[in-house]
Amino acid sequence: MFGTTSETKKNLLAELNLPTDLASVFLDRLNSADHRYIKDLKINVSNSLKASTLSEKDAVLLALGVAINEKASVLVASLEELAKAKGVEEKELLEVASCVSLMNANNVFYRFRHFMDKESYNNIPAGIRMSIMMNPVLGKEFFELLSLVISAINGCEMCVTSHEASVKSHGASEQRIFEAVRLGAILKSFIVLL
């Protein structure tokens, strides 16, 4: 199905628009050993990027958000290039980066509130400005979906619960939510090996 061992890594990297000769200690070792996990990872990445409820644009922007969140600069550059090839505008790329940044602030802050569970902390206004959430260029449903994926990766239960309800209120199905979060999880697992 995948041909020689070197083809598996090349095909995996090509899925994400990465240079097929990209050096990665773990990917190279897995590939050299013809390890079944690199084959699984290639299938998982491919399937998650082609999820039935996500457009190509949705998938690449969600993947980009995960790459930004995980500070995977080589992958960020490749996914930005891929997004531009799919017609994504600069303002949309910047909104993804802004959303990821905002979610990182919110995820830390709201995890603190959740962990402490003290009325005093819960009653103080957050004081975190979030005007980009009001009228996002990518649309409210997608902005909430991206917020949900990043919050799931960052492990903020309050934010996950809030964004899941919000994205559903904007018309997303549970299947779309599931596929978006799965894409985020799989991309994070890939980044671990870069």
Side-chain angles (χ1 to χ4, degrees):
M1 178 176 190
F2 289 102
T4 66
T5 58
S6 62
E7 286 182 57
T8 304
K9 178 189 168 200
K10 286 179 181 178
N11 291 337
L12 172 59
L13 296 174
E15 285 282 342
L16 296 166
N17 197 43
L18 287 163
T20 56
D21 61 349
L22 179 75
S24 162
V25 172
F26 286 112
L27 288 177
D28 290 341
R29 286 173 60 195
L30 287 164
N31 197 55
S32 294
D34 194 22
H35 197 280
R36 66 181 181 211
Y37 183 68
I38 196 165
K39 294 174 184 176
D40 288 347
L41 186 57
K42 164 40 181 106
I43 291 167
N44 290 340
V45 167
S46 181
N47 289 345
S48 66
L49 289 171
K50 295 175 177 104
S52 65
T53 62
L54 302 173
S55 69
E56 286 183 3
K57 180 179 177 180
D58 292 343
V60 75
L61 290 177
L62 289 169
L64 176 62
V66 174
I68 292 168
N69 191 69
E70 300 303 306
K71 300 179 190 85
S73 57
V74 172
L75 184 56
V76 169
S78 292
L79 290 171
E80 280 193 352
E81 185 180 300
L82 184 60
K84 287 177 183 175
K86 295 185 182 301
V88 174
E89 298 175 24
E90 180 71 7
K91 64 184 177 181
E92 294 171 315
L93 294 174
L94 294 175
E95 187 165 88
V96 169
S98 299
C99 177
V100 172
S101 176
L102 176 60
M103 286 307 103
N104 273 268
N106 285 350
N107 295 160
V108 170
F109 181 78
Y110 287 103
R111 271 195 322 260
F112 167 76
R113 274 190 169 174
H114 180 75
F115 293 156
M116 296 307 299
D117 195 26
K118 287 187 175 180
E119 191 174 326
S120 57
Y121 293 130
N122 291 336
N123 290 331
I124 299 170
I128 299 174
R129 191 153 166 80
M130 298 183 262
S131 61
I132 63 168
M133 294 182 88
M134 304 319 289
N135 191 22
V137 297
L138 289 166
K140 189 72 170 155
E141 187 270 349
F142 185 81
F143 191 94
E144 289 293 326
L145 187 64
L146 177 59
S147 298
L148 171 61
V149 170
I150 299 304
S151 296
I153 289 170
N154 292 340
C156 180
E157 181 181 351
M158 288 181 73
C159 294
V160 166
T161 302
S162 172
H163 291 294
E164 191 264 354
S166 182
V167 77
K168 282 171 67 176
S169 77
H170 287 92
S173 67
E174 288 186 352
Q175 184 69 30
R176 179 168 164 82
I177 291 167
F178 180 87
E179 289 179 348
V181 173
R182 182 181 60 198
L183 172 62
I186 290 168
L187 260 288
K188 182 170 171 61
S189 75
F190 170 77
I191 290 167
V192 165
L193 299 176
L194 279 182

